[in-house]
Structure formats: C-alpha cells, structure tokens
Amino acid sequence: MAKPASASAKAAKAQDASYLKAGPIDVIRHRWVYLGIALALVLPGIVFMALMMMKTPNHAPLRLGIDFTGGSILQYGFEKKLSQADLPSVASVFESRGYAGPVIQIQHPKGLLGDAPTADKIPQEAAVGTDLSKSDAQTGAELGADRIQTVVSIRTKQLAKNDQSVLEEGLRKRFGAITLLQKNAIGPTLASELFTNGLLALVLAYFLIVGYLTFRFQFDYAVCAIIALVHDTLFVIGVFAILGYFYHVEVDSLFVTAILTVVGFSVHDTIVVFDRLRENTRLLFSKKLPFGHIANLSLNQTLARSINTSLTALLTLLSLYFLGGDTTRHFVLALILGIATGTFSSIFIASTLLAWWRERQEPNRLATREA
Amino acid sequence: MPLFRNPRVTLLIVMALLIAAVLVIVKKPPTLGLDLSGGTRLTLEAQPAKPGEPITPRSMEALYKIIQMRVDKMGVAETIVQRAGERRLIVEIPGEKDPEKAKARIGKTGLLEFRRQGKGADGSTTWVSTGVSGRDLESADVAPDDRHGGWAVAFKLNEGAATKLRKLTEELVVHHEPMAIFFDNELISSPEVQEVIPTGSGQITGTFTYEKAKEMVDVLNAGALPLDIEFIEESSVGPLLGEASIHQSMIAGLIGLALVLVFMIGYYRMQGLVASMALIVYTLLTYAAYTLLGVTFTLAGIAGFILSIGMAVDANILIFERVKEEIKLGRTLGKAIEAGFDRAFPSIFDSNTTTLITCALLWALGTGSVKGFAITLAIGVAISMFSAITVSRTLLHLILGDNSAINPFLFGLKPSEVPAPRGAASKTSAS
C-alpha cells in the first residue's frame, strides 16, 4: 500500500464514509422511473409532430415560418379597434388580390409598443425624418403610436411588385388609417437554403460534440450525452409542434439558434456531471464500487451546481420572457424549455444510461481481470 | 491556472480594464441593428443579365460598387452594403421604413437605351435596340427644360457612342423616323428626330419634376447594373417598434441581472458577493467589447447577451460548490479556494469549448441575426471565463485572506459542516 503522498490524501477522502454515502436522490436505483419520465416528456411532442406532418402542406413536423417556406409577413397598426370578427374582412382584401389563405393574427399593441417614451419623441422624429414626412396622407397617424388600437400581423405568400400599396389601400378603405410597423419577406430560394443550413448546423453540432466528447472522455460517454441532447431537442421541438397545432406558433431561424444554444447548454451540464464521474472513477477505482454507485455519488455531488446554474440562466430568461419584446418571445420560450429539460436530461438520462451501459460490461471486465 | 501570481497585480489590471470599458461605453454608442434602430434590410441575389451568361467575381464587384453608389445617393447616414457569399449583397438602410421605395431605387437596372422602330415577329411595330445605350454614358446632369418647362436630363456619351448616335440620327432624319428613349425598359419619350446629334450630347425631356430628373441622373451616373438582381429577402421595422424593443430589453436585462445577483448572494453569501462583482465586471467588459468590435446589437443579440449573464455565473457556481466541498473535507481556507478553482477548471474548459463549437457552427451556417447571436455568445463565453476565474479568485483571496478562520455563515454552510482545523501546525504550513 505504498502510495505517493498526493494520492494518500485522496485515499483518505475515499475512505471517508460520508463521502461515499449517496446523496439525497438515488437516481440509479430508480433509473427506469426517470427514463420513463424522460420518455413521457417527449412522447406527446412526437405524437403532435406526426399530426403536424399530416396537416401541414410541406409535411413538416412544425409550423414553418416564412424563414423556411418563403413569403411575406406584414404587421400593421390599425387606429380602429379590430376584433376577431373583423379578420375575415381583412383576409378578403388579400384574397381579392389573389393571395389565398392569409394567416391573420391580432397582437397586443401594449406588448409591441410597450410604454416606451415615444409620445414625447414624435415631434422630433417628424421634423428629422424626411422620408416619413413625405409618405402620404397617413403622415400624422404614422407617428402616433398612442393612436394605434390594434396590431395585426398578416402572413401570405410573397407579395408581387406593387401589390403591397394596392393591399394597403384596400385595408384603408375598410378600416381607416393604418401604419406599416414591420415587414418581412423572404424568397423561396433563400428560405430553402436557410432550412437546409439550419438542419445541417444541428446535425453537425451533434457530430462535433460526439467527436469532442470522445476525445476528452470516451465514446460511450459521448453516445449517452448525445442521447440526452436528442431528448432535449425532441422535447423542445415537440412543445413547438403542440403550440403550432393549437396556437399557430411558427418556427423561424431564431428557433434553430435556440435549439443549438440549448444543445450547447445541455452538453455543458452533462460534461460537468461526467467530469465528476470520471474523477470519482479514478479516485474510487481501488474500492471496486459498482459504476452505478459512483455515478450516483457524482450526480449528487454536482446536483446543487446543476440546479443553480439552470436557475440563474432561467432567472434571466424569465425576465426576458415577461418583460422583453414580442419579437423574441418564442425564441426565449424555446430557450427556457430547453434549459430546463437540459438540466433534467443531464441528471437523469445521460448518467443513468452510462451507468446501465457500463454495468452491463462490468461483470465481463471484472471476470477478465480475475482470470 | 492563476494568470498572475500576485492578486494585487491582477486587481490593478482588472481595474484598468474596467476603466477602459467604462470609457468605451460612455464614448462610443453601440451599433444598433435595424430591428432596433428602425429601417430596411434587403438581400439581393445577382442573376445573369442574359440567360446562360456566367456571374464573374468582376461583374459582382461592379454590381457591388454601383449598388453602393446608389445607396449612398439616398442621403441616409450609416447605410451598409455588404457582400454575402458569391452572388449576394445585403443592403441596410437605417430610417427607411418603406422597403418598396428602397427597392425601386436600388433595383433599377439604370439602363438608358436608344431604340428605333422595327417590325415584331407578328408584323406589328415595336421598338428595337440600336446598340446605343447608357453603358457608354460619360455624364448626366439635371437641366431646366426650356421647351416644356420643368426639368430634363442632359447626358453626354463617350466618343465611340457619340459616333454611333450621329450615324443613327442621320439615318432617322432622312426617313422622318422617331427615336425612343427607354430608361429601365420604360418608354420615357419618343421624339421625332429633327436634327442630327453630332457630339453625343443631348437632353431627355418628359416633363419631369426636379426629384424625378435628379433620381434618373443619379442612377445614370452610378451606371447600369452589370447583372440583373432579385430581392430574395427584405425586412423593415418602423422606428417606434425598435425604440420600444430597446427599452423593454434593457429593463428585462437589468432585472435579470438583479435577480441573478440576489440569488447568488442569498445562496453563496460571501462567495456570491464576489461572484456578483465578477458578474458586473463581466457585464461591463462584454458590453464594451461588443461596442469596440462593432458587434451589431439586434434583439436576438441582446437576448444572447442577457442569457450569457445568467450563464456566466456557471463557472463561479462550479467553483464555489467545489470550495464548499473542500471546506467540508477540512481544508484551510486558502487551500480550499485554490483546490476549488483548480478542480473545477477542466469542467469549465470542456463545457465552454462545446459552447464555442456550437457558436462556430451558428456563425458559419447562419445568416444575419443568427450570426450576430453566435458572435455575442462566443465573446460572452470567453470573457466569462476570465471574469469568473481570474476576477473571482483574486477577490476571494483578497477579501477573505488565506489564513483566516472559516466562518460557516459566509459560505452558506452549517457550522457542523466545517471541521475544526487540524491543528496549528497544518495552519501555518498552508500559508
């Protein structure tokens, strides 16, 4: 038992009974419960992804925004108060010009224009903005955020040249003064390119992470981490499939960004647990403890860290969700969902799977060593 | 891996960096993306002028220059024309909320053409090209139109084209044929040619307003587009929306930051206080780095920044948890802190590397706001490692002192969790 001096401290630590005692949760013993919960988290999403694939015209599991399909989104501020009952009338303006089936939604003017100090800035902007003063008869209304009663977003296929002004004229005739708040239009070539690039980025991210984890840890660690990542990705996509099914929520390029950020965050979490696991495996090697026990130990040692890290990220995200603008709300929601499930998966999926894998191999390994 | 062995030196460096950061923040306003400043962004893709004709780097360069000139002529400050990929240009015009207007202005082929009458395939009369065009234009100017009142466009062709035009007009005068002037494939006028145009100088009349004439002159002087273009993406945001968004994001960011600070101090006590200081250093340095590097703030970018504030404490949480463990194992304060930092480092390094991998992918494959998000996140990760490791470590050593007794309360520990020091001997050996 002649050990180097530095190792003796570790050995002392290893012999410390309190150090070896598993923490508050026994993840490994109840692994099937947790894996079951993991499955239950993604199953509804998968069901709705299948439903969406039957429902959407391009057979996508999600409602794809114009980023991926091409088209135009126009956002107008109406000075008249519009209700759901007015929407068919808005639609008919578009349909009469050959834009069948526009998707029209009423948004909250408060959420969009907020309580920003716009009122006192209006005179200055009117004086400076030469372009604005030139526009047309709507000049006064164009700057009056306070006069906007309803914000409506309209999604159609891409508008042909000059059609926008014709459509706006049609809307004015029926509803009075309107202001174009925002416009986005994406052509079909760019849209399909964005879609391919988004998927490519996701797949590449998976491969690079597997590569890196195999290099820093071992292949089985990498595989278990990726399964956890796929779980997180499926969960977030699933929730958006459900939101798309019931609330017509669409995904755009920012959604891909959110997914990739979640992947980064989730692997972050998993790495911390794995790192501890690897350290403990070395430390406790002589103890001949079952791998599951070491995994449990490592999980509990990193539990506070895992939860606190997610908590701080969620604190900032929740404040963004409730106080930030409408534009990024879905993006932030995807991040919130992903970070929450990312923490869950690194605690309950990645290491339980790894322990299961290792323990299936362990008897053989022990046998060969004894032979 | 302490950057500098002497904590006082580190502290001085951090202070200097902070002062520099504050100076940058005060002096240099951030670059706001169009979704915040209001304005129009267009992505255009070059198409061959004639089917089958290749798009060469040279013709793209020419297209880029001409588009840039046209955009500059719009008289808006801080317009941007950017190459994107082999065939694309991105044009950003702050303050312009009507994309149609910008498109009309930028998308003009800008080709002035002289055409004569000819017979179409079905025998009807059409206008056919004469080969004399604005491609050979030397200059164009606005001139008063004496005959009709209003304004006209005076032009001058170069020598070769002048000769061609002279020959053409000689012919047309004899046959009493009209000549048509097309601009952007649009008939501007079709006067009967009454006299030969000898020098290549002439006027295009058509009862233009001054603005219209000026616009034509600008477009003519900038030159005809060597390639056709197609607008494949456009987005515009009114100024009101952008302003409201900045306001909302700022409040959200500050409240998010405050929540994180409260949580960290509540949970990690003294260490949390140190993390809070490191986090404020992080926030200031990162913001200064963004402005200094000219990163464009978009809504997504700001969301990324705010998220990074929440994630930047990750390294500190890892370290502090480890320090607490080391204390529970009976280490002295100085050793516990050092061990906490050293042991947590591999995890911090590995996990940040994977984040950087995804950032690189987002940057390589993303466009516009996605690229912006990737850059902001990557800068954030790099600075967070610096602030969490160097700044926190230095502050912990300086504030607590390495040999002081461990006060359980300051670490959020129960008194029973802190073992009694192993004896005076080990205490001195730790220094």
Side-chain angles (χ1 to χ4, degrees), chain A residues 86-124:
Chain A
D86 292 313
L87 297 189
S89 178
V90 174
S92 70
V93 171
F94 281 76
E95 273 155 1
S96 68
R97 190 81 192 165
Y99 294 97
V103 177
I104 302 169
Q105 282 173 314
I106 291 184
Q107 292 166 328
H108 308 288
K110 278 292 159 219
L112 279 159
L113 298 170
D115 309 313
T118 41
D120 50 336
K121 295 228 162 173
I122 286 162
Q124 299 165 13

mmCIF file of all heavy atoms in Angstrom, chain A residues 86-124:
data_model
loop_
_atom_site.group_PDB
_atom_site.id
_atom_site.type_symbol
_atom_site.label_atom_id
_atom_site.label_comp_id
_atom_site.label_asym_id
_atom_site.label_seq_id
_atom_site.Cartn_x
_atom_site.Cartn_y
_atom_site.Cartn_z
ATOM 1 N N ASP A 86 -63.436 40.939 -37.290
ATOM 2 C CA ASP A 86 -63.016 41.727 -38.450
ATOM 3 C C ASP A 86 -62.018 40.988 -39.337
ATOM 4 O O ASP A 86 -61.762 41.400 -40.462
ATOM 5 C CB ASP A 86 -62.354 43.037 -37.976
ATOM 6 C CG ASP A 86 -63.366 43.956 -37.324
ATOM 7 O OD1 ASP A 86 -64.443 44.136 -37.911
ATOM 8 O OD2 ASP A 86 -63.078 44.467 -36.229
ATOM 9 N N LEU A 87 -61.445 39.905 -38.785
ATOM 10 C CA LEU A 87 -60.345 39.270 -39.515
ATOM 11 C C LEU A 87 -60.741 38.718 -40.887
ATOM 12 O O LEU A 87 -59.977 38.864 -41.831
ATOM 13 C CB LEU A 87 -59.681 38.195 -38.642
ATOM 14 C CG LEU A 87 -59.022 38.745 -37.375
ATOM 15 C CD1 LEU A 87 -58.201 37.678 -36.684
ATOM 16 C CD2 LEU A 87 -58.148 39.955 -37.687
ATOM 17 N N PRO A 88 -61.929 38.092 -41.014
ATOM 18 C CA PRO A 88 -62.296 37.635 -42.351
ATOM 19 C C PRO A 88 -62.330 38.776 -43.359
ATOM 20 O O PRO A 88 -61.974 38.604 -44.530
ATOM 21 C CB PRO A 88 -63.698 37.044 -42.143
ATOM 22 C CG PRO A 88 -63.745 36.672 -40.708
ATOM 23 C CD PRO A 88 -62.901 37.676 -39.997
ATOM 24 N N SER A 89 -62.708 39.946 -42.865
ATOM 25 C CA SER A 89 -62.760 41.104 -43.742
ATOM 26 C C SER A 89 -61.355 41.526 -44.179
ATOM 27 O O SER A 89 -61.140 41.921 -45.325
ATOM 28 C CB SER A 89 -63.479 42.239 -42.999
ATOM 29 O OG SER A 89 -63.504 43.381 -43.786
ATOM 30 N N VAL A 90 -60.410 41.432 -43.252
ATOM 31 C CA VAL A 90 -59.013 41.715 -43.601
ATOM 32 C C VAL A 90 -58.538 40.695 -44.628
ATOM 33 O O VAL A 90 -57.912 41.037 -45.635
ATOM 34 C CB VAL A 90 -58.106 41.672 -42.345
ATOM 35 C CG1 VAL A 90 -56.642 41.829 -42.726
ATOM 36 C CG2 VAL A 90 -58.515 42.751 -41.347
ATOM 37 N N ALA A 91 -58.890 39.449 -44.363
ATOM 38 C CA ALA A 91 -58.464 38.374 -45.269
ATOM 39 C C ALA A 91 -59.008 38.589 -46.672
ATOM 40 O O ALA A 91 -58.318 38.345 -47.661
ATOM 41 C CB ALA A 91 -58.911 37.030 -44.718
ATOM 42 N N SER A 92 -60.253 39.062 -46.738
ATOM 43 C CA SER A 92 -60.874 39.201 -48.060
ATOM 44 C C SER A 92 -60.138 40.230 -48.917
ATOM 45 O O SER A 92 -60.095 40.108 -50.140
ATOM 46 C CB SER A 92 -62.354 39.568 -47.914
ATOM 47 O OG SER A 92 -62.461 40.884 -47.430
ATOM 48 N N VAL A 93 -59.545 41.240 -48.259
ATOM 49 C CA VAL A 93 -58.759 42.219 -49.017
ATOM 50 C C VAL A 93 -57.614 41.507 -49.740
ATOM 51 O O VAL A 93 -57.323 41.765 -50.903
ATOM 52 C CB VAL A 93 -58.203 43.314 -48.078
ATOM 53 C CG1 VAL A 93 -57.209 44.209 -48.808
ATOM 54 C CG2 VAL A 93 -59.330 44.138 -47.497
ATOM 55 N N PHE A 94 -56.991 40.585 -49.025
ATOM 56 C CA PHE A 94 -55.869 39.862 -49.612
ATOM 57 C C PHE A 94 -56.337 38.842 -50.648
ATOM 58 O O PHE A 94 -55.732 38.682 -51.692
ATOM 59 C CB PHE A 94 -55.058 39.172 -48.502
ATOM 60 C CG PHE A 94 -54.144 40.114 -47.800
ATOM 61 C CD1 PHE A 94 -54.637 41.024 -46.874
ATOM 62 C CD2 PHE A 94 -52.788 40.126 -48.075
ATOM 63 C CE1 PHE A 94 -53.793 41.910 -46.239
ATOM 64 C CE2 PHE A 94 -51.936 41.016 -47.449
ATOM 65 C CZ PHE A 94 -52.441 41.914 -46.531
ATOM 66 N N GLU A 95 -57.442 38.178 -50.308
ATOM 67 C CA GLU A 95 -57.931 37.145 -51.227
ATOM 68 C C GLU A 95 -58.397 37.743 -52.540
ATOM 69 O O GLU A 95 -58.227 37.144 -53.600
ATOM 70 C CB GLU A 95 -59.044 36.337 -50.541
ATOM 71 C CG GLU A 95 -58.448 35.199 -49.730
ATOM 72 C CD GLU A 95 -59.320 34.742 -48.587
ATOM 73 O OE1 GLU A 95 -60.426 35.295 -48.408
ATOM 74 O OE2 GLU A 95 -58.885 33.838 -47.849
ATOM 75 N N SER A 96 -58.961 38.959 -52.463
ATOM 76 C CA SER A 96 -59.440 39.585 -53.692
ATOM 77 C C SER A 96 -58.282 39.893 -54.633
ATOM 78 O O SER A 96 -58.461 40.082 -55.820
ATOM 79 C CB SER A 96 -60.189 40.879 -53.362
ATOM 80 O OG SER A 96 -59.286 41.833 -52.855
ATOM 81 N N ARG A 97 -57.074 39.934 -54.110
ATOM 82 C CA ARG A 97 -55.916 40.231 -54.938
ATOM 83 C C ARG A 97 -55.167 38.941 -55.289
ATOM 84 O O ARG A 97 -54.049 38.962 -55.821
ATOM 85 C CB ARG A 97 -55.003 41.196 -54.151
ATOM 86 C CG ARG A 97 -53.885 41.811 -54.898
ATOM 87 C CD ARG A 97 -54.293 42.999 -55.731
ATOM 88 N NE ARG A 97 -53.214 43.356 -56.651
ATOM 89 C CZ ARG A 97 -53.363 44.151 -57.699
ATOM 90 N NH1 ARG A 97 -54.527 44.669 -57.988
ATOM 91 N NH2 ARG A 97 -52.331 44.422 -58.476
ATOM 92 N N GLY A 98 -55.750 37.820 -54.914
ATOM 93 C CA GLY A 98 -55.151 36.554 -55.311
ATOM 94 C C GLY A 98 -54.232 35.940 -54.272
ATOM 95 O O GLY A 98 -53.515 34.991 -54.562
ATOM 96 N N TYR A 99 -54.223 36.487 -53.049
ATOM 97 C CA TYR A 99 -53.409 35.879 -52.006
ATOM 98 C C TYR A 99 -54.303 35.020 -51.117
ATOM 99 O O TYR A 99 -54.847 35.485 -50.122
ATOM 100 C CB TYR A 99 -52.691 36.958 -51.194
ATOM 101 C CG TYR A 99 -51.687 37.692 -52.037
ATOM 102 C CD1 TYR A 99 -52.023 38.907 -52.632
ATOM 103 C CD2 TYR A 99 -50.435 37.153 -52.280
ATOM 104 C CE1 TYR A 99 -51.114 39.565 -53.442
ATOM 105 C CE2 TYR A 99 -49.528 37.801 -53.088
ATOM 106 C CZ TYR A 99 -49.873 39.003 -53.668
ATOM 107 O OH TYR A 99 -48.971 39.646 -54.477
ATOM 108 N N ALA A 100 -54.453 33.781 -51.524
ATOM 109 C CA ALA A 100 -55.397 32.895 -50.845
ATOM 110 C C ALA A 100 -54.867 32.512 -49.465
ATOM 111 O O ALA A 100 -53.664 32.365 -49.266
ATOM 112 C CB ALA A 100 -55.611 31.641 -51.684
ATOM 113 N N GLY A 101 -55.791 32.385 -48.537
ATOM 114 C CA GLY A 101 -55.482 31.853 -47.211
ATOM 115 C C GLY A 101 -54.436 32.590 -46.415
ATOM 116 O O GLY A 101 -53.522 31.964 -45.883
ATOM 117 N N PRO A 102 -54.530 33.914 -46.301
ATOM 118 C CA PRO A 102 -53.553 34.598 -45.456
ATOM 119 C C PRO A 102 -53.790 34.232 -43.991
ATOM 120 O O PRO A 102 -54.917 33.983 -43.591
ATOM 121 C CB PRO A 102 -53.839 36.083 -45.692
ATOM 122 C CG PRO A 102 -55.273 36.131 -46.094
ATOM 123 C CD PRO A 102 -55.540 34.849 -46.828
ATOM 124 N N VAL A 103 -52.714 34.164 -43.231
ATOM 125 C CA VAL A 103 -52.845 33.879 -41.798
ATOM 126 C C VAL A 103 -52.817 35.209 -41.066
ATOM 127 O O VAL A 103 -51.831 35.942 -41.134
ATOM 128 C CB VAL A 103 -51.685 32.989 -41.316
ATOM 129 C CG1 VAL A 103 -51.790 32.758 -39.815
ATOM 130 C CG2 VAL A 103 -51.703 31.672 -42.063
ATOM 131 N N ILE A 104 -53.919 35.518 -40.397
ATOM 132 C CA ILE A 104 -54.035 36.843 -39.791
ATOM 133 C C ILE A 104 -54.198 36.709 -38.291
ATOM 134 O O ILE A 104 -55.002 35.913 -37.812
ATOM 135 C CB ILE A 104 -55.232 37.598 -40.396
ATOM 136 C CG1 ILE A 104 -55.022 37.701 -41.906
ATOM 137 C CG2 ILE A 104 -55.362 38.978 -39.787
ATOM 138 C CD1 ILE A 104 -56.217 38.173 -42.646
ATOM 139 N N GLN A 105 -53.398 37.464 -37.574
ATOM 140 C CA GLN A 105 -53.472 37.379 -36.115
ATOM 141 C C GLN A 105 -53.493 38.767 -35.505
ATOM 142 O O GLN A 105 -52.791 39.668 -35.963
ATOM 143 C CB GLN A 105 -52.259 36.623 -35.571
ATOM 144 C CG GLN A 105 -52.396 35.121 -35.733
ATOM 145 C CD GLN A 105 -51.129 34.408 -35.355
ATOM 146 O OE1 GLN A 105 -50.038 34.800 -35.761
ATOM 147 N NE2 GLN A 105 -51.266 33.356 -34.571
ATOM 148 N N ILE A 106 -54.284 38.914 -34.455
ATOM 149 C CA ILE A 106 -54.288 40.167 -33.710
ATOM 150 C C ILE A 106 -53.252 40.060 -32.607
ATOM 151 O O ILE A 106 -53.193 39.065 -31.888
ATOM 152 C CB ILE A 106 -55.681 40.440 -33.107
ATOM 153 C CG1 ILE A 106 -56.661 40.750 -34.229
ATOM 154 C CG2 ILE A 106 -55.621 41.603 -32.121
ATOM 155 C CD1 ILE A 106 -58.041 41.133 -33.758
ATOM 156 N N GLN A 107 -52.391 41.059 -32.519
ATOM 157 C CA GLN A 107 -51.402 41.054 -31.447
ATOM 158 C C GLN A 107 -51.682 42.212 -30.509
ATOM 159 O O GLN A 107 -52.447 43.106 -30.838
ATOM 160 C CB GLN A 107 -50.002 41.168 -32.051
ATOM 161 C CG GLN A 107 -49.660 39.907 -32.825
ATOM 162 C CD GLN A 107 -48.463 40.100 -33.710
ATOM 163 O OE1 GLN A 107 -48.220 41.179 -34.218
ATOM 164 N NE2 GLN A 107 -47.716 39.019 -33.922
ATOM 165 N N HIS A 108 -51.054 42.158 -29.357
ATOM 166 C CA HIS A 108 -51.357 43.192 -28.377
ATOM 167 C C HIS A 108 -50.525 44.426 -28.619
ATOM 168 O O HIS A 108 -49.302 44.338 -28.606
ATOM 169 C CB HIS A 108 -51.071 42.680 -26.964
ATOM 170 C CG HIS A 108 -51.747 41.382 -26.701
ATOM 171 N ND1 HIS A 108 -53.099 41.290 -26.536
ATOM 172 C CD2 HIS A 108 -51.263 40.125 -26.626
ATOM 173 C CE1 HIS A 108 -53.411 40.019 -26.346
ATOM 174 N NE2 HIS A 108 -52.320 39.300 -26.407
ATOM 175 N N PRO A 109 -51.158 45.542 -28.830
ATOM 176 C CA PRO A 109 -50.370 46.749 -29.053
ATOM 177 C C PRO A 109 -49.491 47.082 -27.863
ATOM 178 O O PRO A 109 -48.390 47.580 -28.019
ATOM 179 C CB PRO A 109 -51.411 47.842 -29.294
ATOM 180 C CG PRO A 109 -52.720 47.273 -28.897
ATOM 181 C CD PRO A 109 -52.589 45.799 -28.904
ATOM 182 N N LYS A 110 -49.939 46.767 -26.667
ATOM 183 C CA LYS A 110 -49.125 47.087 -25.476
ATOM 184 C C LYS A 110 -47.826 46.312 -25.493
ATOM 185 O O LYS A 110 -46.773 46.836 -25.195
ATOM 186 C CB LYS A 110 -49.912 46.778 -24.191
ATOM 187 C CG LYS A 110 -50.863 47.890 -23.802
ATOM 188 C CD LYS A 110 -50.120 49.143 -23.371
ATOM 189 C CE LYS A 110 -51.015 50.367 -23.486
ATOM 190 N NZ LYS A 110 -50.345 51.548 -23.962
ATOM 191 N N GLY A 111 -47.950 45.029 -25.839
ATOM 192 C CA GLY A 111 -46.749 44.198 -25.841
ATOM 193 C C GLY A 111 -45.739 44.663 -26.877
ATOM 194 O O GLY A 111 -44.545 44.542 -26.696
ATOM 195 N N LEU A 112 -46.238 45.201 -27.961
ATOM 196 C CA LEU A 112 -45.345 45.574 -29.045
ATOM 197 C C LEU A 112 -44.783 46.965 -28.875
ATOM 198 O O LEU A 112 -43.609 47.212 -29.049
ATOM 199 C CB LEU A 112 -46.109 45.525 -30.369
ATOM 200 C CG LEU A 112 -46.240 44.137 -30.932
ATOM 201 C CD1 LEU A 112 -47.373 44.082 -31.898
ATOM 202 C CD2 LEU A 112 -44.943 43.756 -31.595
ATOM 203 N N LEU A 113 -45.656 47.870 -28.551
ATOM 204 C CA LEU A 113 -45.194 49.254 -28.475
ATOM 205 C C LEU A 113 -44.888 49.651 -27.051
ATOM 206 O O LEU A 113 -44.311 50.681 -26.800
ATOM 207 C CB LEU A 113 -46.245 50.181 -29.076
ATOM 208 C CG LEU A 113 -46.495 49.893 -30.546
ATOM 209 C CD1 LEU A 113 -47.697 50.645 -31.053
ATOM 210 C CD2 LEU A 113 -45.279 50.255 -31.371
ATOM 211 N N GLY A 114 -45.295 48.817 -26.139
ATOM 212 C CA GLY A 114 -44.926 48.989 -24.744
ATOM 213 C C GLY A 114 -45.324 50.341 -24.194
ATOM 214 O O GLY A 114 -46.200 51.019 -24.703
ATOM 215 N N ASP A 115 -44.641 50.699 -23.131
ATOM 216 C CA ASP A 115 -44.880 52.018 -22.573
ATOM 217 C C ASP A 115 -43.659 52.874 -22.855
ATOM 218 O O ASP A 115 -43.273 53.717 -22.070
ATOM 219 C CB ASP A 115 -45.127 51.912 -21.061
ATOM 220 C CG ASP A 115 -46.197 50.875 -20.775
ATOM 221 O OD1 ASP A 115 -47.214 50.931 -21.461
ATOM 222 O OD2 ASP A 115 -45.995 50.024 -19.884
ATOM 223 N N ALA A 116 -43.026 52.596 -23.969
ATOM 224 C CA ALA A 116 -41.820 53.333 -24.318
ATOM 225 C C ALA A 116 -42.149 54.815 -24.446
ATOM 226 O O ALA A 116 -43.255 55.180 -24.807
ATOM 227 C CB ALA A 116 -41.262 52.827 -25.639
ATOM 228 N N PRO A 117 -41.169 55.650 -24.099
ATOM 229 C CA PRO A 117 -41.432 57.086 -24.126
ATOM 230 C C PRO A 117 -41.483 57.599 -25.554
ATOM 231 O O PRO A 117 -40.649 58.377 -25.982
ATOM 232 C CB PRO A 117 -40.248 57.665 -23.361
ATOM 233 C CG PRO A 117 -39.153 56.693 -23.593
ATOM 234 C CD PRO A 117 -39.797 55.345 -23.728
ATOM 235 N N THR A 118 -42.434 57.142 -26.298
ATOM 236 C CA THR A 118 -42.498 57.527 -27.702
ATOM 237 C C THR A 118 -43.229 58.855 -27.887
ATOM 238 O O THR A 118 -42.896 59.622 -28.767
ATOM 239 C CB THR A 118 -43.219 56.458 -28.523
ATOM 240 O OG1 THR A 118 -44.316 56.007 -27.760
ATOM 241 C CG2 THR A 118 -42.311 55.318 -28.850
ATOM 242 N N ALA A 119 -44.203 59.096 -27.042
ATOM 243 C CA ALA A 119 -45.067 60.244 -27.256
ATOM 244 C C ALA A 119 -44.285 61.551 -27.360
ATOM 245 O O ALA A 119 -44.506 62.352 -28.263
ATOM 246 C CB ALA A 119 -46.091 60.338 -26.129
ATOM 247 N N ASP A 120 -43.296 61.719 -26.455
ATOM 248 C CA ASP A 120 -42.590 63.000 -26.476
ATOM 249 C C ASP A 120 -41.542 63.064 -27.573
ATOM 250 O O ASP A 120 -40.952 64.092 -27.837
ATOM 251 C CB ASP A 120 -41.957 63.270 -25.111
ATOM 252 C CG ASP A 120 -41.156 62.095 -24.623
ATOM 253 O OD1 ASP A 120 -41.451 60.949 -25.080
ATOM 254 O OD2 ASP A 120 -40.239 62.270 -23.834
ATOM 255 N N LYS A 121 -41.286 61.934 -28.223
ATOM 256 C CA LYS A 121 -40.263 61.927 -29.268
ATOM 257 C C LYS A 121 -40.883 62.205 -30.635
ATOM 258 O O LYS A 121 -40.183 62.490 -31.582
ATOM 259 C CB LYS A 121 -39.567 60.568 -29.319
ATOM 260 C CG LYS A 121 -38.785 60.280 -28.079
ATOM 261 C CD LYS A 121 -37.419 59.788 -28.436
ATOM 262 C CE LYS A 121 -36.518 59.926 -27.233
ATOM 263 N NZ LYS A 121 -35.234 59.341 -27.430
ATOM 264 N N ILE A 122 -42.155 62.110 -30.708
ATOM 265 C CA ILE A 122 -42.795 62.186 -32.008
ATOM 266 C C ILE A 122 -42.508 63.488 -32.759
ATOM 267 O O ILE A 122 -42.133 63.447 -33.915
ATOM 268 C CB ILE A 122 -44.305 61.926 -31.868
ATOM 269 C CG1 ILE A 122 -44.501 60.444 -31.618
ATOM 270 C CG2 ILE A 122 -45.056 62.328 -33.110
ATOM 271 C CD1 ILE A 122 -45.834 60.096 -31.051
ATOM 272 N N PRO A 123 -42.602 64.641 -32.097
ATOM 273 C CA PRO A 123 -42.365 65.867 -32.854
ATOM 274 C C PRO A 123 -40.972 65.902 -33.471
ATOM 275 O O PRO A 123 -40.816 66.260 -34.626
ATOM 276 C CB PRO A 123 -42.535 66.965 -31.802
ATOM 277 C CG PRO A 123 -43.285 66.353 -30.694
ATOM 278 C CD PRO A 123 -42.982 64.904 -30.719
ATOM 279 N N GLN A 124 -39.944 65.462 -32.698
ATOM 280 C CA GLN A 124 -38.590 65.487 -33.231
ATOM 281 C C GLN A 124 -38.459 64.579 -34.445
ATOM 282 O O GLN A 124 -37.897 64.951 -35.454
ATOM 283 C CB GLN A 124 -37.596 65.001 -32.176
ATOM 284 C CG GLN A 124 -37.579 65.870 -30.943
ATOM 285 C CD GLN A 124 -36.891 65.175 -29.795
ATOM 286 O OE1 GLN A 124 -36.225 64.170 -29.991
ATOM 287 N NE2 GLN A 124 -37.076 65.696 -28.611
#
